[in-house]
Amino acid sequence: MNLVDIQISGFEKVEENIAKVIRQLSPEQIEGVLLEGANVIGQAAINLAPIGPTGNLKRSIVAKVLQRNSPGEAAPAITAVDYRIAPHAHLIEFGHLIKRGKRGKSTGFVEPHPFMRPAWDATKDQVAGAIVEEFHSLIEEAPG
């Protein structure tokens, strides 16, 4: 039986560099980069959303940074539908039954018109690449 002895050196330096990066980037910088990505996805969703009589669906699509869990920690950014503006958005994305009468008898089905998932699918690689590039740029610019 042959035994292989593998030694990894320099891991301490990697840990030091990661810690340095974390210290160098502020939560605002991280959130800004993430919000840019969320805006790209949001614009794609707006472009894909069907146009209704009020335009509320397109107007309801927003990108925002969520609330922080702690002061020194960055919060995630999301693309979402503001349901105060378009409470029917999920019915459009996924389709729905049409019910009529007192007993709510189903009389048909409205086909789905997805806009959020296709927006994600169309932009996720672009957004991930842009986030990596922007963080790389911020790290390169960091003093020390």
Side-chain angles (χ1 to χ4, degrees):
M1 175 180 206
N2 292 336
L3 295 178
V4 177
D5 184 18
I6 299 175
Q7 293 184 349
I8 300 174
S9 61
F11 192 69
E12 296 81 17
K13 185 68 174 168
V14 171
E15 286 179 328
E16 287 174 25
N17 287 338
I18 290 171
K20 173 185 161 193
V21 167
I22 290 169
R23 286 190 307 272
Q24 295 297 327
L25 297 180
S26 70
E28 292 81 12
Q29 287 175 302
I30 295 168
E31 291 166 353
V33 172
L34 298 177
L35 184 58
E36 286 178 27
N39 279 322
V40 170
I41 297 166
Q43 189 58 56
I46 290 168
N47 293 340
L48 292 170
I51 300 172
T54 64
N56 284 346
L57 181 61
K58 287 182 179 281
R59 199 168 31 260
S60 73
I61 299 168
V62 296
K64 64 181 183 177
V65 175
L66 297 180
Q67 191 172 19
R68 292 181 185 169
N69 289 332
S70 64
E73 194 175 295
I78 63 166
T79 303
V81 170
D82 184 338
Y83 279 95
R84 294 172 296 184
I85 298 171
H88 62 294
H90 65 288
L91 301 173
I92 296 169
E93 178 82 10
F94 301 111
H96 61 92
L97 291 174
I98 300 171
K99 294 189 176 189
R100 303 254 190 251
K102 291 180 183 178
R103 296 182 188 240
K105 184 178 179 182
S106 176
T107 61
F109 183 75
V110 175
E111 292 293 323
H113 296 281
F115 56 96
M116 291 297 281
R117 180 57 189 237
W120 164 255
D121 290 340
T123 60
K124 65 183 175 185
D125 292 336
Q126 171 193 351
V127 169
I131 288 172
V132 168
E133 283 182 32
E134 187 62 28
F135 280 140
H136 180 74
S137 175
L138 288 171
I139 292 165
E140 290 292 319
E141 293 170 7

